[in-house]
C-alpha cells in the first residue's frame, strides 16, 4: 500500500498510530483526490456595511465534503495541505471557482459584490499565482476589482522583496489586498505603511473579547482602527457575534463587519437570494439607528 503512494510513502500507517493521527494520515492521502472527485465546496460569508446594513462583499471559505468523515473544517485540512504543498493546487481551485461564481452571478443579473479569497503564504509566494489569476480572470471575464486577496501578517515577513513585488502586481491588476487576522502576528508598521494594502481585518479574538471586563481588547481594536485610518486603509471586524460588539464597533467607526450575528458562511444560492432583494437589510440593522445623525 505504501509503495503505491509513490513519493509520499513517508506517510506509512504505523500500527501504533492513534485515532487522531490515523485521521490526518487518511486525510492527507484523500486530499490528493479531493479536487478531481469534486469534494470541495465554497461557502460565502456576507460582510455588512456598518452604516447601511447592506452586504457589500463576502469571504469565500473552503469546505471539504469527505465521503466518510463528513464536512471537514479548513482548520483541520489546510495545515495538512500546507505541509504537503497541495495547498497550491487547492488554492488554484479556489481562485478559479470564485471567478466562475462571480461570472455566473453576473450572468443572472445579481448585483455585483467583491469576494475575498484566503491565500496561504505558500500560494501567495508561488511563481504561478499571477499568471493563473490572469488566466482565470480572462476566462471568466471577471472584473478584477471584484476580487480581494486576504493574506496574513506572516506572509509580510516571509520574503520581503517577493511579497512587495506581488502586492504591487496585484494592485496594478485592480485586485484588493487585505491583511487577515490583523493584530495576531508581527507586522512591521513601517513595512505596512509602504505597501498598497486596502484593508486591515481585525482578528476575531479581539472582537469576541469586546465583552470582557478588562478593556484590553477594546483598546487593541481602537488602536487598529486608528492605525488603519491614518494609513488610509479600510477596516473590517470579523467574528461579530453580539449586539454589544456591533455597538462598540459602530461607535469606533469600524466600516465593515462580518460574523455569526449577521450570517454564518452560506452556500452561494442563499447569498444570491439575499443579494437579489432590493431593500435587503440584514435583520439586526432594521432596529438599529445609524451611529451618526
Ligand atoms: P479566516 O480567514 O480568519 O476566516 C474566519 C473564520 O471565522 C471562518 O472559519 C469563519 O467561518 C469563522 N467565523 C465567521 N464568523 C464568526 C463568528 O462570528 N464567530 C466565530 N467564532 N467564528 C466566525 P472557517 O471557515 O472554519 O475557516 C478557518 C480558517 O481556514 C480561515 O480563517 C482561513 O485562515 C482558512 N481558510 C478557509 N478557507 C480557505 C481557503 O480557501 N484557502 C486558505 N488558504 N485558507 C482558508
Ligand atoms: Mg480570512
Ligand atoms: Mg480572519
Ligand atoms: Mg483566521
Amino acid at each position: 500500500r505504501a509503495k503505491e503512494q509513490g513519493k509520499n510513502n513517508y506517510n506509512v500507517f504505523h500500527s501504533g498510530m492513534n485515532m487522531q493521527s490515523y485521521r490526518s494520515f487518511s486525510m492527507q492521502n484523500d486530499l490528493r483526490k479531493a479536487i478531481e472527485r469534486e469534494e470541495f465546496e465554497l461557502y460565502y460569508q456576507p460582510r455588512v456595511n456598518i452604516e447601511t446594513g447592506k452586504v457589500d462583499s463576502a469571504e469565500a471559505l473552503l469546505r471539504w465534503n469527505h465521503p466518510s468523515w463528513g464536512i471537514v473544517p479548513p482548520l483541520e485540512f489546510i495545515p495538512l495541505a500546507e505541509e504537503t504543498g497541495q495547498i497550491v493546487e487547492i488554492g488554484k481551485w479556489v481562485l478559479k471557482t470564485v471567478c466562475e461564481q462571480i461570472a455566473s452571478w453576473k450572468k443572472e443579473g445579481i448585483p455585483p459584490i467583491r469576494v475575498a479569497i484566503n491565500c496561504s503564504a505558500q500560494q501567495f509566494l508561488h511563481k504561478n499565482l499571477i499568471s493563473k489569476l490572469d488566466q482565470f480572470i480572462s476566462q471568466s471575464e471577471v472584473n478584477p476589482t471584484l476580487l480581494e486577496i486576504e493574506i496574513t501578517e506572516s506572509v509580510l515577513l516571509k520574503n520581503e522583496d517577493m511579497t512587495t513585488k506581488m502586492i504591487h502586481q496585484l494592485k496594478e491588476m485592480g485586485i484588493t489586498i487585505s491583511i487577515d487576522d490583523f493584530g495576531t502576528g508581527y507586522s512591521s508598521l513601517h513595512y505596512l505603511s509602504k505597501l498598497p494594502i486596502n484593508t486591515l481585518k481585525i482578528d476575531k479574538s479581539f472582537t469576541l473579547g469586546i465583552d470582557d471586563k478588562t478593556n484590553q481588547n477594546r483598546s487593541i481594536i481602537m488602536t487598529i482602527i486608528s492605525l488603519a485610518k491614518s494609513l488610509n486603509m479600510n477596516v473590517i471586524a470579523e467574528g461579530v457575534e453580539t449586539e454589544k460588539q456591533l455597538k462598540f464597533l459602530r461607535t469606533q467607526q469600524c466600516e465593515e463587519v462580518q460574523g455569526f450575528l449577521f450570517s454564518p458562511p452560506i452556500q452561494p444560492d442563499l447569498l444570491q437570494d439575499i443579494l437579489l432583494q432590493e431593500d435587503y437589510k440584514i435583520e439586526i440593522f432594521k432596529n438599529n439607528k445609524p451611529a451618526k445623525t
Side-chain angles (χ1 to χ4, degrees):
R1 180 106 172 87
K3 223 176 200 162
E4 287 166 29
Q5 287 154 14
K7 61 181 177 175
N8 286 312
N9 63 1
Y10 53 83
N11 268 334
V12 183
F13 177 66
H14 299 289
S15 51
M17 265 184 192
N18 60 27
M19 196 55 191
Q20 191 51 49
S21 46
Y22 171 67
R23 190 173 151 108
S24 318
F25 164 78
S26 133
M27 276 183 190
Q28 224 164 45
N29 274 328
D30 296 348
L31 261 179
R32 264 180 281 143
K33 303 160 228 151
I35 293 182
E36 55 177 288
R37 291 184 180 170
E38 302 185 8
E39 289 168 1
F40 286 126
E41 190 178 357
L42 284 179
Y43 276 56
Y44 294 82
Q45 187 175 35
R47 293 160 157 189
V48 183
N49 179 300
I50 212 165
E51 283 299 320
T52 63
K54 299 233 176 220
V55 176
D56 51 17
S57 62
E59 176 173 7
L61 292 157
L62 190 57
R63 299 290 178 264
W64 180 17
N65 300 306
H66 189 281
S68 48
W69 303 104
I71 293 191
V72 186
L75 285 179
E76 192 170 358
F77 69 86
I78 299 251
L80 294 177
E82 282 171 341
E83 238 172 75
T84 56
Q86 296 169 78
I87 191 66
V88 176
E89 271 316 299
I90 296 173
K92 266 187 230 160
W93 180 88
V94 172
L95 289 172
K96 183 165 180 270
T97 306
V98 167
C99 288
E100 288 169 356
Q101 184 64 70
I102 295 175
S104 122
W105 278 332
K106 186 179 177 188
K107 224 168 96 196
E108 296 186 39
I110 316 278
I113 53 163
R114 199 172 65 249
V115 178
I117 300 160
N118 291 283
C119 199
S120 293
Q122 240 185 93
Q123 190 196 356
F124 193 76
L125 297 172
H126 196 270
K127 56 183 189 322
N128 277 343
L129 179 66
I130 298 282
S131 65
K132 282 290 157 194
L133 255 174
D134 256 334
Q135 182 193 329
F136 300 147
I137 287 170
S138 56
Q139 276 169 357
S140 57
E141 296 175 31
V142 156
N143 178 347
T145 62
L146 294 178
L147 294 176
E148 172 175 332
I149 304 260
E150 292 189 2
I151 52 175
T152 55
E153 289 170 274
S154 63
V155 176
L156 299 180
L157 290 173
K158 274 240 155 76
N159 182 334
E160 232 181 89
D161 291 342
M162 178 71 176
T163 301
T164 304
K165 202 177 130 206
M166 285 296 300
I167 292 179
H168 279 104
Q169 262 180 300
L170 291 168
K171 170 87 182 172
E172 262 166 47
M173 290 166 75
I175 295 171
T176 300
I177 310 282
S178 53
I179 309 294
D180 204 357
D181 306 338
F182 189 77
T184 61
Y186 307 86
S187 291
S188 142
L189 297 184
H190 172 66
Y191 187 33
L192 198 67
S193 70
K194 286 191 306 183
L195 293 170
I197 289 162
N198 303 76
T199 305
L200 299 182
K201 285 193 77 177
I202 299 171
D203 188 65
K204 60 174 174 288
S205 59
F206 304 123
T207 311
L208 292 169
I210 288 173
D211 299 337
D212 289 355
K213 286 213 175 59
T214 63
N215 44 26
Q216 201 182 352
N217 289 299
R218 268 167 277 166
S219 308
I220 292 171
I221 290 174
M222 287 158 78
T223 306
I224 296 176
I225 293 176
S226 73
L227 174 68
K229 297 211 189 263
S230 67
L231 293 176
N232 254 323
M233 293 176 187
N234 295 328
V235 63
I236 164 165
E238 63 173 21
V240 182
E241 293 184 358
T242 67
E243 292 209 41
K244 192 176 165 197
Q245 293 159 2
L246 173 64
K247 201 170 159 203
F248 175 77
L249 291 162
R250 192 181 260 148
T251 57
Q252 298 309 315
Q253 302 185 8
C254 179
E255 286 141 350
E256 259 188 306
V257 278
Q258 171 182 350
F260 297 158
L261 181 62
F262 318 107
S263 167
I266 49 181
Q267 283 171 314
D269 288 2
L270 221 65
L271 180 58
Q272 180 168 324
D273 292 345
I274 295 178
L275 297 174
L276 271 179
Q277 297 173 41
E278 215 163 286
D279 329 299
Y280 184 84
K281 231 178 178 192
I282 291 278
E283 197 60 39
I284 201 95
F285 282 85
K286 289 185 182 154
N287 312 314
N288 279 284
K289 290 192 192 89
K292 291 176 250 175
T293 60

